């Protein structure tokens, strides 16, 4: 009779046991996720690329150029020429990015003229910093690049004349002097001092 009681009670207990087993399995599954679940958790969705228009990119490049030129100007005022050269280089790099976007989207004539002036100003000031450091060959390269974007800039011709005077290339000094004279620039009179060699006189560095 006792065995009958035990056997007859099994059907009543069985659903409870099954429920407990299922709960244990669910708990085990949650505590130990499958490999597929682990892979899904480890995969981080990549951010969607944000589209930027050509005008927006040009604006970013222009702001970057302005920022670096401003820092370079501060360094020049403190006679800290290496940092100034670094910032002018970074500003010009951003400006080349602006030029690249202009070639894609066909900028207006006004934008191109402003861009050329910015190129000329950057190369001119970077050349002046190198000149004040005594790096005449490097500064000559920068001044010539500046003239590529602004061929009638009197200040750039004046600096080139001073470099040629340091090198004692007086025929080139005379060439720069004639350009300044044709332009009617007052810098022609200042460069005139260095047209001929003199033992007691050397080309002074501009401030």
């Amino acid at each position: 009779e006792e065995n009958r009681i035990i056997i007859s009670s099994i059907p009543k207990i069985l659903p409870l046991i099954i429920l407990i087993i299922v709960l244990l399995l669910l708990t085990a599954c949650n505590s130990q996720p499958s490999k597929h679940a682990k892979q899904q958790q480890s995969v981080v969705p990549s951010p969607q690329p944000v589209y930027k228009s050509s005008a927006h990119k040009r604006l970013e490049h222009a702001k970057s150029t302005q920022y670096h030129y401003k820092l370079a100007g501060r360094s020049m005022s403190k006679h800290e020429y290496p940092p100034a050269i670094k910032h002018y280089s970074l500003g010009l790099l951003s400006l080349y990015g602006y030029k690249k976007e202009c070639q894609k989207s066909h900028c207006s004539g006004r934008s191109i003229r402003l861009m050329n002036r910015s190129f000329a100003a950057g190369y001119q000031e970077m050349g002046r910093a190198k000149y004040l450091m005594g790096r005449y060959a490097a500064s000559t390269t920068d001044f010539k690049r500046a003239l590529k974007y602004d061929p009638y800039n009197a200040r750039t011709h004046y600096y080139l004349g001073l470099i040629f005077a340091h090198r004692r290339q007086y025929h080139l000094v005379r060439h720069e002097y004639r350009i300044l004279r044709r332009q009617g620039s007052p810098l022609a009179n200042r460069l005139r001092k260095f047209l001929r060699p003199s033992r007691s006189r050397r080309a002074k560095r501009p401030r």
Side-chain angles (χ1 to χ4, degrees), residues 63-205:
K63 287 182 178 180
S64 177
T65 300
Q66 184 182 16
Y67 171 75
H68 286 293
Y69 277 17
K70 187 175 181 180
L71 292 179
R74 290 178 183 175
S75 298
M76 289 291 287
S77 63
K78 298 177 183 177
H79 307 288
E80 297 174 351
Y81 303 124
I85 293 171
K86 176 184 176 181
H87 284 295
Y88 278 126
S89 299
L90 292 173
L92 287 167
L93 186 63
S94 297
L95 202 56
Y96 275 109
Y98 183 96
K99 182 179 180 180
K100 185 178 179 180
E101 292 300 322
C102 266
Q103 291 172 346
K104 291 180 181 179
S105 57
H106 304 289
C107 292
S108 64
R110 181 176 179 273
S111 297
I112 293 174
R113 286 193 296 272
L114 291 173
M115 179 187 68
N116 289 339
R117 289 178 185 174
S118 296
F119 268 119
Y123 277 120
Q124 183 191 87
E125 288 303 301
M126 188 162 65
R128 188 166 73 96
K130 293 176 182 178
Y131 171 77
L132 293 169
M133 293 176 67
R135 298 170 55 186
Y136 301 129
S139 61
T140 301
T141 302
D142 289 333
F143 286 137
K144 287 182 178 180
R145 286 175 178 172
L147 288 176
K148 178 183 176 182
Y149 292 99
D150 188 4
Y152 302 106
N153 191 291
R155 197 178 178 191
T156 306
H157 284 291
Y158 172 68
Y159 286 135
L160 276 175
L162 292 178
I163 292 173
F164 295 143
H166 275 287
R167 293 178 173 180
R168 298 183 180 180
Q169 297 174 324
Y170 297 105
H171 63 290
L172 296 177
V173 179
R174 189 172 291 105
H175 174 73
E176 300 300 330
Y177 168 74
R178 288 172 179 171
I179 293 174
L180 293 174
R181 191 175 178 182
R182 282 199 300 268
Q183 292 179 356
S185 172
L187 293 173
N189 293 329
R190 296 176 63 177
L191 191 60
R192 186 178 181 181
K193 303 175 183 178
F194 308 107
L195 288 176
R196 297 177 182 178
S198 176
R199 295 180 181 178
S200 59
R201 185 172 64 227
R202 294 181 180 180
K204 296 181 180 179
R205 297 178 181 177

Side-chain angles (χ1 to χ4, degrees), residues 43-59:
V43 174
V44 179
S46 58
Q48 295 295 328
V50 179
Y51 174 76
K52 294 182 180 180
S53 64
S54 181
H56 184 73
K57 291 179 181 178
R58 290 200 309 271
L59 181 62

Side-chain angles (χ1 to χ4, degrees), residues 1-11 13:
E1 291 180 358
E2 292 179 358
N3 293 334
R4 290 179 181 177
I5 294 171
I6 294 171
I7 293 171
S8 62
S9 63
I10 287 175
I13 302 173

